[in-house]
C-alpha cells in the first residue's frame, strides 16, 4: 500500500497518465519486505507536485524516509519497479491505484479535526475499500474477476491545497486477470466523501487506466452497497464485456430505486412525480393546483417522496428554506457554485429587505414618483433615513451581518447600470428599440410572420367574443406608405407579437388580483425598406362583458402629446405581457421544466458506460438542483415570480396551458421553430436548411451558427458509435430511454403524433441536437439577458398596475395633467421592482465554475479514452472559437442595425464564452442557473 500527499496545484487539475518515476529502489519480489521510495512528478495535478509513498507487500507497511538512499532511474508510463524487481511476482502482477479525493475548500475547525481522524483511519486500511473488477468472467462465479484491497497510509502535513488529496492502494492481480473495467468503492467512514477519479497503474502496456468518478461516495452506514465506478471506456449494451454486464444492470437498478419512501440526502435515485409541491394547502391563499395530469398537463419533475400535506392528500408537504429540497446527491451544487448562489441570495436579501422594512415602517409600498428614483438604484443605492436605521437595527429578522452593514455605511449595495441604458439612457423610449428587442432582446422567440389577414383568434367565440381582431386593414395601410396589406403579406413585410389567445383566458382572474391590471396584447410590426422593424399598431383586449361585447382597443403612435403618452402606456402593457410569457413559458417551461425529464431518463435508462450518456452528461449539470430551488422560492405559491409578474397566483397555470396548447418536442429544434413562426423558410442550399426572412435577426443568425456546430458534433459522435445497420433500433438502453421520456417524463403528451421516431442514427442525431441546443444555446439566449434588459424597470416592466385611462375615466384628467406620474405609477412599486431586479441579477450571473459549450471541466478531462472522439470534440471546440469571432465581426458591421449603431448594445448573448458575473454573454453547457 502507499500513501500520497496532495500536490501543490490548483483544484482544477487532474491526474495525468504522463508521470515519470524519478527514483526507485527495490529488494526483489520474493515475498519479503520491499522498501520503496517513489517520487512522482510530471503533468499530473498541474505537474508541480510530487507523490511520496509508502508501499508494502501484504499487510506489512513501511513508510519511507525522505533521507533514504535511492538509486535514480527514469521510467515513462505506469508506476513500476526498477530492474531488481521488474519481473512480475510469482502469484500475479503488482498494480497500484491512486485515489483522488476533493475536500471542502472552506472547512470549520471540527471538520478539520474530522479530516485528521479520517487520515488515521485510512492509514490503517480501515477507511476505504476498493475492488478491481475485470472485463473477463470468472468461470466459478459467472461474474467479473475481482481483487480487493484497502487504501492505506496517512497523509503528511497538508499542502497549500487542502481540497485535493490522494491516497493509494496496492494490488496483486492474477496473470490472467484481464483488463479492469470497473472499481467497486466502499466507504467505511461515517460520512460521505467526493471521489474525483481513480487511476490504475501497472497493467500491460504501461498506460494508466482512468476511472473518472466525480461523484459522492456514500457512507456504508447510510447504504451498505458499494459504489460502482466504470472505466472511461464507452460500450453500447450489446458490446458490454461479459465481466461488466451484471454491474451495468445493477448500477441502473440502484439509480432507479423502487419508487417508494422518502428520499434521503445521500440517495442518488432518479424518479418522476407531478408538480404537487408548489402550494401550501393549509393556507387558502397559498393553495395551488397540481400540475401534471389530464386537467393541467405538465412535464414531470424529480420525485422526492415527501409525505402528503395534512390538508390535501394530493399535494406533497413542502420544505422551506434553509432546508434543502431533495435532488439525487450528484445533482447538488458544488462548493464554488453554492458560494456564488449564496452571494446572489445575500444580495437579493439586502436589496429586498430594506425596501420591505421601509414599506413596513411607512405602512405602504410606494411607487416610483420620478425617473430620478429609478436612477438612484444605480447611482446611490438604497439610502435609509437615520430614524429608519434605528428602527431597522431593532427589527427581529435583521441578523448581525445586516447590523454591521448598517453601522459601517448608510448606503447599501448599488445595482449595476443595465446594458440597455448604459450607452443610451433614453433608448427604451423609442419605437425602434422596442422593435429591436423582439429580434435581439432577452425574449426574441415570440415574434412571428403575419401570414393571414384579418387576424383571427382561435378561442371559443361563445366565451371570448368575435374572433376578428380590431386591427383593421385601413389602419395598417395608413402606416405602409402606399403598400397594400395583401402586398405586404406577400412580400413578408408584416410581423406580429401575439399574446392574445394565450393570455385572454386568464385576464379576468389576473385583473381580480390587487395591484394588477393587464390586457391580452397583439402588436403588428412593419419591416421597412431600410431594414428596420417598426411597430405600427397595438391591440389591447379584455374579456367581453355585457356592456362591451368586443372589449378591444387599438393604439398607434400618433403625432400629438396625448397619443404619444398613451402609446408609451400601450407599449408598457405589451412589455409586461412579453415579460410574463418569457419567464413562465419560454424560460421556465421550455428549458428548465422540459429538460428535467430528459435528465431523469438519461440516468435511469442509460448506463454511465453508454456513449450517449457520456455525450449528454455535461449538459445535465446543476439543472435538477436549480429547478428544485425554483420550486422552493421562485415558482411556488407566494414566491418571487407570483409576487413580481402579471399572472400572479395564476402564473404556473398559465405555464401549464402553454404546455398543453403550444409545446412540441419537434418544434424545439431551432430551424423548425423559425420555420413554424415564419421567421425562416426552408432552403436546402443553406447550412441549416433554412434562410432567414429578416437577415438582421441576431438571435436567429447567431443561433443557427451554434445549432450547426452542435449538429455537426453530434452527428460525428453518433456515426462513430452507431456505424452498424440497425444499431440504433437494437440498442435496448437507448430505446428504453426514448420510450421513458415520451411515456413517463412527458406523460401528458405521450399520445401526440409529432414525437420523432428513434430508428436510425439520423433520428438519434436530431433528438440529441435538440436536447443539447435547449440546454445550452437556447437557455443562454433567453436567460443571461434578464438583468441587462430587465434591470431597467421602464424598459421591461414585469407587471402593470393600471389600465390605460379612457376619456370617460375619472383618472383621465389626472393623466392629462401629469402623464409621467400616470406612467410611473403604472409600473411595479419600488419594492416589487427591487425584488425582481435582485432575482434577475442572480439569474443572469455566471458562476466561477461555469462550464461553457465546447469546453471540458479540467476535472473531467478523462471522460473518454477514445482518441477519435477527442479529436472530433477538439474540432467542435475550434468551431465555437470561430463562431465567437464571426459574432464579434457581425457586431461591428454597421449594416446590421439591430446589433450596432449609436448607443446600440452589441448582441452577445450567444457568444460561447464568458467570465464570471453578469456579462450578458456565454453559453454554459447546461441549465445551471
Amino acid at each position: 500500500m502507499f500513501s500520497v500527499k496532495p500536490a501543490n496545484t490548483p483544484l482544477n487539475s487532474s491526474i495525468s497518465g504522463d508521470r515519470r518515476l524519478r527514483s526507485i529502489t527495490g529488494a526483489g519480489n520474493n515475498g519479503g519486505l520491499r522498501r520503496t521510495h517513489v517520487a512522482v512528478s510530471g503533468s499530473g495535478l498541474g505537474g508541480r507536485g510530487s507523490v511520496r509513498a509508502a508501499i508494502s507487500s501484504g499487510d506489512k507497511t513501511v513508510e519511507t524516509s525522505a533521507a533514504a538512499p535511492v538509486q535514480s532511474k527514469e521510467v515513462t508510463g505506469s508506476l513500476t519497479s526498477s530492474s531488481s524487481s521488474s519481473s512480475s511476482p510469482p502469484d500475479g502482477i503488482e498494480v497500484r491505484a491512486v485515489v483522488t479525493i476533493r475536500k471542502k475548500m472552506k472547512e470549520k475547525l471540527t471538520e478539520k479535526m474530522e479530516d485528521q481522524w479520517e487520515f488515521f483511519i485510512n492509514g490503517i486500511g480501515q477507511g476505504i475499500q476498493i475492488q478491481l473488477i475485470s472485463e473477463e468472467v470468472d468461470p466459478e462465479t459467472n461474474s467479473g474477476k475481482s481483487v480487493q484491497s484497502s487504501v492505506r497510509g496517512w497523509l503528511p502535513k497538508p499542502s497549500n491545497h487542502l481540497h485535493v488529496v490522494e491516497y493509494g492502494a496496492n494490488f496483486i492481480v492474477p496473470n490472467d486477470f484481464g483488463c479492469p473495467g470497473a472499481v467497486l468503492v466502499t466507504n467505511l467512514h461515517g460520512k460521505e466523501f467526493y471521489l474525483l477519479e481513480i487511476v490504475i497503474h501497472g497493467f500491460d502496456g504501461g498506460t494508466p487506466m482512468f476511472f473518472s468518478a466525480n461523484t459522492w461516495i456514500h457512507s456504508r452506514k447510510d447504504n451498505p452497497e458499494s459504489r460502482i465506478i466504470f472505466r472511461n471506456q464507452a460500450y453500447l449494451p450489446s458490446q458490454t464485456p461479459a465481466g461488466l454486464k451484471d454491474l451495468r444492470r445493477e448500477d441502473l437498478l440502484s439509480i432507479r430505486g423502487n419508487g417508494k419512501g422518502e428520499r434521503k440526502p445521500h440517495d442518488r435515485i432518479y424518479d418522476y412525480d407531478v408538480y404537487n409541491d408548489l402550494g401550501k394547502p393549509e393556507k387558502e391563499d397559498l393553495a395551488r393546483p397540481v400540475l401534471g395530469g389530464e386537467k393541467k398537463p405538465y412535464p414531470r419533475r424529480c420525485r422526492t417522496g415527501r409525505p402528503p400535506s395534512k390538508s390535501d392528500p394530493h399535494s406533497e408537504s413542502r420544505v422551506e428554506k434553509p432546508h434543502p429540497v431533495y435532488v439525487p446527491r450528484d445533482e447538488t451544487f458544488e462548493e464554488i457554485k453554492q458560494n456564488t448562489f449564496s452571494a446572489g441570495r445575500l444580495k437579493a436579501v439586502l436589496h429586498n429587505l430594506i425596501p420591505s422594512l421601509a414599506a413596513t415602517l411607512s405602512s405602504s409600498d410606494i411607487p416610483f414618483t420620478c425617473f430620478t428614483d429609478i436612477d438612484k438604484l444605480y447611482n446611490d443605492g438604497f439610502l435609509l433615513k437615520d430614524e429608519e436605521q434605528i428602527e431597522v437595527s431593532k427589527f427581529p429578522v435583521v441578523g448581525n451581518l445586516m447590523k454591521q452593514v448598517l453601522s459601517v455605511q448608510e448606503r447599501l449595495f448599488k445595482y449595476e447600470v443595465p446594458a440597455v441604458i448604459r450607452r443610451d439612457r433614453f433608448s427604451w423610449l423609442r419605437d425602434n428599440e422596442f422593435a429591436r428587442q423582439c429580434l435581439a432582446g432577452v425574449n426574441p422567440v415570440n415574434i412571428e410572420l403575419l401570414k393571414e389577414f384579418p387576424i383571427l383568434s382561435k378561442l371559443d367565440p361563445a366565451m371570448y367574443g368575435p374572433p376578428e381582431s380590431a386591427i383593421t386593414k385601413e389602419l395598417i395601410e395608413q402606416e405602409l406608405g402606399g403598400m397594400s396589406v395583401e402586398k405586404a403579406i406577400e412580400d413578408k413585410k408584416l410581423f406580429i407579437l401575439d399574446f392574445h389567445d394565450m393570455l385572454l383566458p386568464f385576464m379576468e382572474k389576473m385583473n381580480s388580483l390587487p395591484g394588477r391590471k393587464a390586457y391580452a396584447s397583439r402588436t403588428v410590426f412593419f419591416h421597412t425598406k431600410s431594414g428596420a422593424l417598426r411597430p405600427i399598431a397595438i391591440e389591447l383586449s379584455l374579456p367581453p362583458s355585457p356592456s362591451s361585447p368586443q372589449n378591444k382597443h387599438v393604439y398607434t403612435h400618433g403625432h400629438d402629446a396625448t397619443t404619444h403618452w398613451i402609446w408609451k402606456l400601450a407599449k408598457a402593457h405589451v412589455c409586461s405581457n412579453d415579460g410574463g410569457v418569457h419567464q413562465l413559458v419560454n424560460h421556465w417551461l421550455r428549458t428548465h421544466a422540459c429538460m428535467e425529464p430528459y435528465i431523469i431518463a438519461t440516468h435511469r435508462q442509460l448506463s454511465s458506460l453508454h456513449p450517449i450518456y457520456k455525450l449528454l452528461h455535461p449538459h445535465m449539470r446543476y439543472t435538477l438542483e436549480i429547478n428544485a430551488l425554483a420550486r422552493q422560492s421562485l415558482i411556488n405559491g407566494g414566491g418571487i415570480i407570483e409576487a413580481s409578474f402579471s399572472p400572479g397566483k395564476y402564473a404556473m397555470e398559465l405555464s401549464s396551458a402553454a404546455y398543453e396548447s403550444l409545446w412540441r418536442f419537434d418544434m424545439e429544434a431551432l430551424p423548425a421553430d423559425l420555420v413554424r413562426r415564419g421567421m425562416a423558410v426552408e432552403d436546402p442550399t443553406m447550412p441549416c436548411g433554412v434562410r432567414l426572412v429578416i437577415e438582421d435577426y441576431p438571435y436567429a443568425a447567431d443561433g443557427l451558427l451554434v445549432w450547426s456546430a452542435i449538429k455537426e458534433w453530434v452527428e460525428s459522435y453518433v456515426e462513430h458509435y452507431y456505424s452498424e445497420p440497425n444499431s440504433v433500433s437494437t440498442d435496448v438502453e437507448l430505446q428504453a430511454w426514448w420510450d421513458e421520456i415520451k411515456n413517463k417524463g412527458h406523460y401528458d403528451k405521450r399520445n401526440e403524433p409529432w414525437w420523432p421516431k428513434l430508428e436510425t442514427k439520423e433520428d438519434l442525431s436530431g433528438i440529441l441536437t435538440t436536447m443539447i441546443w435547449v440546454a445550452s444555446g437556447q437557455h443562454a439566449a433567453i436567460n443571461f439577458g434578464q438583468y441587462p434588459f430587465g434591470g431597467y424597470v421602464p424598459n421591461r416592466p414585469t407587471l402593470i398596475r393600471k389600465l390605460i385611462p379612457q376619456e370617460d375615466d375619472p383618472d383621465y384628467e389626472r393623466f392629462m395633467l401629469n402623464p409621467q406620474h400616470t406612467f410611473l405609477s403604472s409600473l411595479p412599486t419600488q419594492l416589487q421592482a427591487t425584488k425582481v431586479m435582485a432575482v434577475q441579477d442572480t439569474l443572469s450571473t455566471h458562476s466561477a465554475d461555469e462550464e461553457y459549450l465546447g469546453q471540458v471541466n479540467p476535472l473531467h478531462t478523462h471522460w473518454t479514452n477514445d482518441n477519435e472522439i477527442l479529436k472530433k470534440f477538439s474540432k467542435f471546440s475550434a468551431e465555437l472559437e470561430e463562431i465567437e469571432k464571426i459574432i464579434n465581426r457581425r457586431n461591428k458591421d454597421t449594416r446590421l442595425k439591430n446589433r450596432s449603431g449609436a448607443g446600440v448594445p452589441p448582441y452577445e448573448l450567444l457568444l460561447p464564452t464568458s467570465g464570471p458575473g453578469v456579462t450578458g454573454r456565454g453559453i454554459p453547457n447546461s441549465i445551471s442557473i
Side-chain angles (χ1 to χ4, degrees):
M1 320 310 177
F2 62 97
S3 68
V4 186
K5 79 173 183 179
N8 296 324
T9 176
L11 172 63
N12 290 342
S13 304
S14 55
I15 304 176
S16 169
D18 184 21
R19 295 199 157 174
R20 307 183 68 191
L21 211 58
R22 292 298 185 192
S23 57
I24 304 173
T25 62
N29 53 16
N30 57 3
L33 180 65
R34 297 175 61 249
R35 182 180 180 88
T36 309
H37 173 212
V38 182
V40 182
S41 67
S43 63
L45 289 167
R48 295 191 295 276
S50 63
V51 180
R52 307 187 65 171
I55 303 177
S56 73
S57 177
D59 291 329
K60 300 177 181 178
T61 303
V62 178
E63 188 169 356
T64 63
S65 165
V70 297
Q71 296 176 347
S72 180
K73 181 182 176 82
E74 282 197 352
V75 180
T76 302
S78 62
L79 290 172
T80 58
S81 301
S82 63
S83 56
S84 61
S85 58
S86 59
S87 59
S88 299
D91 53 346
I93 306 165
E94 182 178 315
V95 298
R96 301 181 177 88
V98 177
V99 180
T100 308
I101 292 172
R102 188 184 67 203
K103 309 298 289 186
K104 283 185 68 173
M105 287 180 283
K106 294 181 180 179
E107 289 189 309
K108 300 174 183 175
L109 180 61
T110 54
E111 291 173 323
K112 290 180 180 179
M113 295 173 64
E114 287 173 357
D115 282 350
Q116 297 302 315
W117 176 248
E118 285 182 20
F119 296 160
F120 173 75
I121 295 299
N122 288 337
I124 60 175
Q126 298 297 314
I128 303 171
Q129 288 181 350
I130 59 176
Q131 188 175 354
L132 278 185
I133 307 296
S134 173
E135 293 184 347
E136 295 185 9
V137 171
D138 184 333
E140 293 184 8
T141 63
N142 285 323
S143 57
K145 299 175 182 176
S146 67
V147 291
Q148 182 170 307
S149 185
S150 297
V151 165
R152 287 182 183 270
W154 41 88
L155 296 172
K157 291 181 180 179
S159 72
N160 295 331
H161 300 281
L162 305 178
H163 46 278
V164 173
V165 295
E166 294 181 359
Y167 294 102
N170 194 40
F171 295 87
I172 301 295
V173 302
N175 291 311
D176 63 350
F177 184 77
C179 181
V183 176
L184 304 188
V185 183
T186 306
N187 175 11
L188 305 178
H189 293 289
K191 66 176 185 177
E192 63 186 2
F193 64 83
Y194 192 86
L195 177 64
L196 287 171
E197 69 178 0
I198 297 173
V199 186
I200 307 294
H201 302 269
F203 277 93
D204 291 344
T207 303
M209 294 183 177
F210 293 93
F211 295 74
S212 296
N214 299 295
T215 183
W216 289 96
I217 306 295
H218 58 259
S219 167
R220 190 171 64 171
K221 73 177 179 61
D222 290 327
N223 182 349
E225 298 296 323
S226 300
R227 276 298 306 281
I228 303 168
I229 309 297
F230 291 108
R231 188 161 62 94
N232 61 344
Q233 169 73 45
Y235 291 111
L236 296 177
S238 60
Q239 300 167 340
T240 311
L244 302 182
K245 285 183 178 179
D246 287 347
L247 290 182
R248 184 171 186 149
R249 183 170 56 252
E250 286 173 19
D251 194 40
L252 283 174
L253 288 173
S254 70
I255 287 171
R256 292 173 198 157
N258 60 9
K260 299 177 182 178
E262 183 173 357
R263 299 273 61 90
K264 301 297 187 292
H266 63 266
D267 285 338
R268 52 190 288 271
I269 294 175
Y270 297 77
D271 204 354
Y272 303 95
D273 208 342
V274 294
Y275 279 72
N276 61 352
D277 63 341
L278 300 180
K280 294 181 180 178
E282 58 274 15
K283 294 185 177 181
E284 186 176 344
D285 60 328
L286 293 179
R288 297 293 178 267
V290 173
L291 301 186
E294 188 176 343
K295 291 183 179 179
K296 289 186 168 41
Y298 217 61
R300 297 307 190 255
R301 50 95 171 175
C302 188
R303 179 184 179 275
T304 69
R306 294 196 303 268
S309 164
K310 294 178 181 178
S311 305
D312 177 10
H314 300 294
S315 294
E316 190 173 83
S317 56
R318 281 185 55 78
V319 174
E320 303 295 349
K321 288 181 180 179
H323 304 292
V325 175
Y326 168 80
V327 293
R329 185 63 183 97
D330 290 337
E331 304 297 327
T332 54
F333 286 168
E334 294 179 31
E335 198 171 353
I336 294 174
K337 176 73 170 181
Q338 221 162 19
N339 292 340
T340 301
F341 200 75
S342 295
R345 282 207 306 268
L346 174 62
K347 195 172 181 181
V349 166
L350 292 172
H351 282 308
N352 296 340
L353 181 61
I354 301 308
S356 179
L357 295 178
T360 301
L361 294 168
S362 62
S363 302
S364 66
D365 185 9
I366 57 175
F368 293 106
T369 56
C370 61
F371 285 99
T372 306
D373 288 343
I374 301 172
D375 294 339
K376 283 180 179 179
L377 297 172
Y378 319 111
N379 300 330
D380 301 331
F382 201 98
L383 190 65
L384 286 177
K385 300 172 185 175
D386 292 340
E387 62 270 19
E388 286 179 342
Q389 287 191 45
I390 295 169
E391 290 301 316
V392 167
S393 65
K394 298 175 182 176
F395 211 84
V397 300
V398 179
N400 290 331
L401 173 62
M402 183 64 69
K403 291 174 182 175
Q404 290 168 10
V405 171
L406 291 170
S407 63
V408 170
Q409 55 183 31
E410 287 185 333
R411 188 174 298 154
L412 297 177
F413 288 106
K414 294 189 296 184
Y415 283 101
E416 294 290 326
V417 177
V420 71
I421 60 163
R422 194 175 298 148
R423 300 181 179 203
D424 184 351
R425 183 180 170 191
F426 301 106
S427 64
W428 66 277
L429 283 165
R430 295 195 297 269
D431 285 355
N432 65 340
E433 178 63 16
F434 173 74
R436 188 190 76 84
Q437 289 183 30
C438 294
L439 301 170
V442 69
N443 188 37
V445 297
N446 274 111
I447 189 167
E448 300 183 15
L449 181 72
L450 183 60
K451 299 173 184 176
E452 295 177 346
F453 203 86
I455 302 166
L456 298 175
S457 169
K458 295 178 182 177
L459 297 175
D460 181 359
M463 292 183 65
Y464 300 105
E468 293 83 10
S469 166
I471 299 175
T472 64
K473 178 180 177 181
E474 293 73 24
L475 190 147
I476 290 180
E477 287 182 345
Q478 290 175 14
E479 304 292 332
L480 299 187
M483 184 184 290
S484 69
V485 167
E486 291 81 7
K487 178 64 174 172
I489 289 176
E490 181 185 341
D491 291 350
K492 296 181 169 58
K493 292 291 185 182
L494 291 177
F495 297 84
I496 187 168
L497 197 62
D498 192 347
F499 299 119
H500 179 277
D501 285 10
M502 189 185 301
L503 294 179
L504 193 62
F506 289 89
M507 206 47 56
E508 195 170 327
K509 292 192 286 188
M510 286 166 56
N511 285 338
S512 69
L513 298 171
R516 309 285 170 99
K517 294 299 175 186
Y519 302 93
S521 68
R522 288 189 179 107
T523 309
V524 176
F525 300 85
F526 178 55
H527 194 224
T528 65
K529 290 181 180 179
S530 66
L533 199 63
R534 181 164 58 90
I536 58 177
I538 293 173
E539 178 192 70
L540 301 179
S541 300
L542 292 170
S545 64
S547 60
S548 183
Q550 187 163 336
N551 204 351
K552 301 173 182 178
H553 300 277
V554 178
Y555 302 94
T556 58
H557 47 78
H559 301 283
D560 62 82
T562 303
T563 52
H564 266 299
W565 270 108
I566 289 180
W567 177 246
K568 288 181 178 65
L569 288 169
K571 287 195 297 182
H573 275 282
V574 173
C575 289
S576 175
N577 279 188
D578 192 72
V581 172
H582 162 260
Q583 195 66 263
L584 295 163
V585 179
N586 300 326
H587 180 212
W588 167 256
L589 170 66
R590 292 177 60 189
T591 64
H592 284 261
C594 286
M595 195 72 197
E596 185 151 346
Y598 312 153
I599 295 170
I600 297 170
T602 299
H603 284 284
R604 285 170 56 85
Q605 298 298 340
L606 299 182
S607 165
S608 58
L609 280 171
H610 201 290
I612 301 306
Y613 177 93
K614 292 182 182 293
L615 173 69
L616 289 176
H617 186 262
H619 306 291
M620 304 188 293
R621 186 183 191 222
Y622 290 156
T623 304
L624 296 191
E625 171 81 340
I626 196 66
N627 286 3
L629 288 166
R631 299 203 314 274
Q632 192 174 41
S633 303
L634 290 176
I635 63 171
N636 60 302
I640 291 171
I641 297 298
E642 287 191 0
S644 307
F645 287 82
S646 285
K649 65 187 289 186
Y650 305 105
M652 291 302 288
E653 290 185 56
L654 172 63
S655 186
S656 169
Y659 177 69
E660 180 177 25
S661 61
L662 298 175
W663 186 84
R664 293 175 49 154
F665 180 87
D666 59 331
M667 291 294 118
E668 293 303 293
L670 176 60
D673 175 62
L674 293 171
V675 171
R676 178 187 64 81
R677 291 190 283 120
M679 301 304 293
V681 293
E682 294 183 1
D683 185 344
T685 66
M686 300 298 287
C688 292
V690 297
R691 176 172 47 82
L692 294 178
V693 170
I694 298 177
E695 183 182 350
D696 187 12
Y697 184 2
Y699 158 77
D702 294 357
L704 287 171
L705 290 176
V706 177
W707 169 272
S708 182
I710 294 170
K711 181 172 181 282
E712 186 178 337
W713 152 239
V714 169
E715 286 176 345
S716 66
Y717 188 96
V718 168
E719 174 65 35
H720 181 76
Y721 288 105
Y722 291 94
S723 56
E724 297 297 320
N726 302 320
S727 52
V728 168
S729 60
T730 58
D731 184 333
V732 292
E733 286 184 7
L734 192 68
Q735 293 299 323
W737 167 77
W738 186 233
D739 181 76
E740 188 164 288
I741 286 171
K742 294 182 295 182
N743 294 310
K744 286 190 175 181
H746 285 276
Y747 178 83
D748 303 323
K749 294 275 192 176
R750 65 194 181 283
N751 296 322
E752 297 287 354
W754 41 251
W755 282 105
K757 294 180 179 178
L758 183 53
E759 297 174 351
T760 67
K761 59 190 176 188
E762 289 78 17
D763 296 339
L764 177 58
S765 296
I767 289 167
L768 293 171
T769 301
T770 296
M771 288 181 178
I772 293 172
W773 161 254
V774 168
S776 58
Q778 179 71 357
H779 180 260
I782 58 180
N783 179 71
F784 292 103
Q786 288 195 74
Y787 186 79
F789 285 97
Y792 188 67
V793 181
N795 182 63
R796 255 182 103 69
T798 55
L799 60 84
I800 298 292
R801 299 191 299 134
K802 295 180 179 179
L803 297 176
I804 295 177
Q806 305 299 314
E807 289 188 26
D808 55 350
D809 290 344
D811 288 341
Y812 191 78
E813 187 176 346
R814 283 195 290 269
F815 160 70
M816 294 295 287
L817 291 172
N818 192 343
Q820 176 179 292
H821 179 267
T822 298
F823 180 85
L824 287 170
S825 62
S826 298
L827 298 180
T829 64
Q830 293 194 30
L831 173 58
Q832 289 169 329
T834 52
K835 184 179 290 187
V836 78
M837 286 166 69
V839 173
Q840 289 173 332
D841 180 62
T842 301
L843 297 181
S844 301
T845 298
H846 288 291
S847 173
D849 71 337
E850 200 83 90
E851 298 174 11
Y852 296 97
L853 195 63
Q855 298 179 357
V856 175
N857 185 321
L859 296 176
H860 300 176
T861 50
H862 302 120
W863 66 282
T864 181
N865 62 2
D866 192 317
N867 288 326
E868 280 301 309
I869 289 296
L870 292 173
K871 288 177 186 176
K872 294 176 189 295
F873 186 78
S874 294
K875 182 182 177 184
F876 174 51
S877 301
E879 193 166 344
L880 287 165
E881 290 177 11
E882 185 58 32
I883 286 171
E884 189 144 331
K885 295 175 184 175
I886 293 170
I887 293 174
N888 285 328
R889 287 198 297 270
R890 287 176 174 176
N891 284 333
K892 294 176 182 177
D893 189 338
T894 55
R895 296 170 299 173
L896 302 175
K897 305 299 183 184
N898 289 321
R899 62 201 311 156
S900 67
V904 176
Y907 186 75
E908 297 182 328
L909 289 170
L910 285 168
L911 280 172
T913 61
S914 174
V918 180
T919 63
R921 57 175 289 167
I923 305 177
N925 272 322
S926 62
I927 298 167
S928 57
I929 190 66

